[in-house]
Amino acid sequence: AKFLCLLALCCALAALATAFTPPALSFSSSAHLKSHRSPTVASNSRVGLGSLRMGGGNVPRVPYKAPGEQGYQFLDIWNRLYRERILYIGQDLDDEFANQMIAVLLFLNNEDATKGVQIYFNCPGGEVRAGLAVYDTMNNMGFDVTTLNLGIAASISAFLCGAGTPGQRMCLPNARFLLQTPKLEDMGMSQVMYGQASDVKIEAEEILRQREKVYKGLMKFTGRSYDQIRQDLTRDLYLTAPEAIEYGLIDKVLLPMQKDAKDLARMASNNMNDKNFGRI
């Protein structure tokens, strides 16, 4: 009887501990997304920094008052930025996220084809086919596209950062760029290919064709020759903010405004009519 009572007590304590265990936070991975791949290409299982995704239950929500409405509604921060014509790329650029970006760009172009759009980057990379779809959409929009690298723009995101409207391609002082030759995983493929020789040959030719598109795009953005671009991308090419300007990938680095005594006095006063004060 004592043994049975002790066993029941242990089970009750175990159930109580399980009930009060906090749920673990998790991020969905791009490896879980469904995508069309050739049967000659093994599935991709990319993990690491690029597997973190924007979304989930931890996204901040902010109040927003739509035109003509009396009350406020709470939106997640990303949708709030969209309403200000700002797109934020803070995850691996995969097919799903690229489709969302394209849909937002099309909507903003239909809403006002003359007002510019800003795209902010803090992106560890992504798939080339997804990035080229966004690139083509950007080129067919009627408005200017301002690009700004906040931290890191790697691989196809660095390509898109350089694809902005000339004179409006920017970065912050500590931002970095990574230019590299598209690899198999950047094509949505595994590093292992299998199948008949003719099928592998077709896939290899497609990879080389995609690389040519990236090289020619960088030629257009930077003004450098094809041979120089190809030579530079034989290894990973990291660029600091000043080096990115020298390379021709961006146009300017944003620095905080230097405020003198007159500016500080105006800030402390009640006259806030100067709407441009304090902006970079």
Side-chain angles (χ1 to χ4, degrees):
K2 292 182 178 180
F3 176 76
L4 294 177
C5 292
L6 182 61
L7 181 61
L9 180 60
C10 292
C11 293
L13 291 176
L16 186 63
T18 304
F20 284 95
T21 301
L25 299 179
S26 62
F27 296 88
S28 60
S29 171
S30 58
H32 296 161
L33 300 177
K34 296 181 179 179
S35 60
H36 174 74
R37 296 185 177 90
S38 169
T40 62
V41 182
S43 60
N44 184 18
S45 56
R46 302 176 63 177
V47 295
L49 179 61
S51 63
L52 301 182
R53 296 183 56 79
M54 298 164 54
N58 298 322
V59 177
R61 300 179 68 85
V62 294
Y64 172 73
K65 187 176 182 180
E69 293 187 1
Q70 297 297 326
Y72 286 85
Q73 56 179 314
F74 280 84
L75 304 175
D76 65 77
I77 189 65
W78 312 124
N79 284 323
R80 183 66 181 90
L81 290 176
Y82 293 160
R83 295 173 187 265
E84 300 297 331
R85 304 180 74 86
I86 298 174
L87 281 73
Y88 191 96
I89 305 180
Q91 66 164 69
D92 228 12
L93 185 59
D94 52 29
D95 292 331
E96 180 184 9
F97 192 68
N99 289 336
Q100 296 177 13
M101 286 189 61
I102 293 171
V104 172
L105 288 172
L106 293 174
F107 170 77
L108 295 177
N109 186 69
N110 182 69
E111 183 181 53
D112 188 349
T114 61
K115 189 176 181 180
V117 167
Q118 303 173 57
I119 303 180
Y120 296 165
F121 294 86
N122 191 19
C123 176
E127 297 182 1
V128 172
R129 63 187 180 199
L132 292 179
V134 175
Y135 169 65
D136 288 337
T137 306
M138 290 169 55
N139 287 337
N140 285 279
M141 297 295 100
F143 44 69
D144 291 341
V145 178
T146 300
T147 56
L148 174 62
N149 180 8
L150 302 174
I152 179 66
S155 189
I156 195 63
S157 60
F159 178 90
L160 292 177
C161 197
T165 302
Q168 301 183 35
R169 305 172 302 171
M170 300 171 285
C171 76
L172 296 184
N174 292 316
R176 295 179 302 154
F177 296 84
L178 170 58
L179 297 177
Q180 55 185 182
T181 298
K183 302 178 177 61
L184 289 177
E185 56 267 30
D186 298 327
M187 307 289 182
M189 305 174 181
S190 170
Q191 296 185 5
V192 179
M193 301 180 65
Y194 60 89
Q196 297 182 0
S198 58
D199 294 332
V200 174
K201 179 176 179 294
I202 293 173
E203 296 296 337
E205 291 175 347
E206 178 61 21
I207 293 172
L208 294 177
R209 187 181 300 112
Q210 296 293 333
R211 287 182 179 179
E212 290 293 318
K213 292 181 179 180
V214 173
Y215 292 159
K216 291 180 180 179
L218 291 174
M219 286 174 55
K220 178 181 177 181
F221 308 151
T222 63
R224 296 175 178 265
S225 65
Y226 176 87
D227 292 336
Q228 185 176 4
I229 293 291
R230 186 173 181 178
Q231 177 64 29
D232 291 342
L233 268 63
T234 54
R235 294 291 185 271
D236 289 351
L237 178 63
Y238 282 94
L239 299 173
T240 62
E243 291 171 346
I245 294 179
E246 182 180 357
Y247 200 79
L249 192 62
I250 60 172
D251 304 300
K252 63 185 71 173
V253 177
L254 297 185
L255 298 174
M257 294 182 61
Q258 297 295 328
K259 302 179 180 63
D260 54 20
K262 182 178 179 181
D263 292 330
L264 294 176
R266 180 172 53 179
M267 180 186 297
S269 68
N270 294 326
N271 183 12
M272 300 301 293
N273 294 328
D274 190 357
K275 297 181 179 181
N276 290 325
F277 176 75
R279 294 187 179 181
I280 296 178

